[in-house]
Amino acid sequence: MWVLAVARHYAVGADIERLRNGDRSEEVARRFFAAEECSAVAGCPRHLRSEHFTQIWTMKEAYIKATGQGLALPLNSFAVSYTDSAPEVLRSAVGAVSDWTISCWAPAAGYRAAVAVHRADARVHHFSFVEEDDPAVSGSLLRKPHPVRP
């Protein structure tokens, strides 16, 4: 599974992660996440904790890629928030919070993805391309676009 992000004139970053079995979410969050994110992960119902952690992780990875700094930017120097209705940057290490657009989605069962764009109100579109021999596809290499979340 892979994700590709393209933007004209704006910095963009993307990440995709597979959900993992086992729950070390709180432990890893305490080590790398900002305090707000640690609280959000710890406050999730146990059965959703790993999924919520993974979505925040993809958002953070997309953000650091969009800044161009990668892991040179400490993961706890900024904060993101994920809810079904509004993923957002809560605290920014680069530019103002309002300068960023983050979009999240589940590109396939068991995966979470995010795209960060250093532009307010950027339009983000998601498409899934699949292999011809994928039994989940009935004759098309391009699946219907995913619902767009700002």
Side-chain angles (χ1 to χ4, degrees):
M1 180 82 47
W2 51 272
V3 63
L4 171 69
V6 179
R8 264 180 79 183
H9 309 295
Y10 298 99
V12 63
D15 190 52
I16 188 167
E17 298 287 336
R18 183 174 55 87
L19 296 174
R20 291 175 171 61
N21 292 330
D23 193 11
R24 294 184 49 222
S25 302
E26 286 182 83
E27 175 187 339
V28 175
R30 279 192 304 272
R31 183 169 179 198
F32 295 107
F33 285 7
E36 304 96 303
E37 298 158 337
C38 290
S39 295
V41 170
C44 271
R46 187 161 293 285
H47 70 283
L48 297 175
R49 201 165 288 160
S50 180
E51 181 177 341
H52 193 76
F53 167 85
T54 301
Q55 191 64 76
I56 290 173
W57 185 272
T58 63
M59 293 168 68
K60 292 181 84 64
E61 286 273 345
Y63 178 90
I64 65 174
K65 291 171 184 175
T67 68
Q69 296 181 44
L71 287 172
L73 182 65
L75 291 175
N76 62 1
S77 68
F78 64 97
V80 297
S81 172
Y82 173 74
T83 63
D84 286 335
S85 60
E88 63 181 323
V89 175
L90 295 176
R91 191 165 32 88
S92 181
V94 177
V97 167
S98 60
D99 292 343
W100 289 91
T101 298
I102 293 195
S103 180
C104 302
W105 75 103
Y111 287 86
R112 297 297 175 266
V115 171
V117 184
H118 195 180
R119 178 181 180 218
D121 301 319
R123 289 183 302 159
V124 177
H125 304 278
H126 311 130
F127 300 92
S128 293
F129 295 89
V130 295
E131 300 294 326
E132 286 182 23
D133 58 354
D134 185 338
V137 179
S138 56
S140 174
L141 290 177
L142 177 62
R143 288 189 190 166
K144 183 174 150 184
H146 296 278
V148 175
R149 291 187 186 155

